[in-house]
Amino acid sequence: MSDEDYVYDEASGEWMPASEFATRQAAEDIVEVRDAVGNLLADGDAVTLIKDLEVKGAGQTLKQGTLIKSIRLTGHSQEIDCKYPGIKGLVLRAEFVKKR
């Protein structure tokens, strides 16, 4: 008999080894972020805008074709955190970008 602790998984209604439960939870926490054409995005990727976007609060419009370097994923399936000169805290929706 194993000395491993068991944890009750409310989603499945089953008791399972704690290590298996932790592995399952980690897999559920991974969020896939895909660009406008379905490419999988990752931290550090460079993306290009596929349409003109008006940036709220900055009084600026980012034009189609603008290159955004070194994105960061936020944990949300459609939002990416970006850095762009002159705009602090820029968050773009993945549906408006294409991976380079």
Side-chain angles (χ1 to χ4, degrees):
M1 183 148 184
S2 172
D3 289 338
E4 185 171 14
D5 291 335
Y6 279 78
V7 178
Y8 183 73
D9 180 20
E10 292 182 18
S12 67
E14 301 175 348
W15 286 92
M16 63 180 57
S19 59
E20 182 181 328
F21 181 75
T23 303
R24 188 178 289 184
Q25 287 295 102
E28 289 176 4
D29 290 344
I30 296 173
V31 177
E32 283 190 353
V33 180
R34 296 192 178 269
D35 68 3
V37 293
N39 297 321
L40 191 61
L41 296 175
D43 285 342
D45 283 346
V47 296
T48 305
L49 297 181
I50 62 167
K51 69 180 266 182
D52 291 354
L53 296 175
E54 186 176 321
V55 181
K56 295 179 182 176
Q60 188 174 352
T61 300
L62 295 176
K63 300 291 183 186
Q64 178 179 348
T66 301
L67 176 65
I68 307 288
K69 297 178 183 176
S70 192
I71 65 167
R72 282 187 314 157
L73 303 181
T74 62
H76 186 278
S77 65
Q78 275 297 306
E79 293 180 354
I80 55 175
D81 193 21
C82 310
K83 288 185 180 179
Y84 190 78
I87 302 174
K88 290 188 179 232
L90 179 62
V91 177
L92 295 175
R93 299 214 19 108
E95 64 190 283
F96 299 126
V97 300
K98 184 172 85 171
K99 185 175 181 177
R100 284 194 58 118

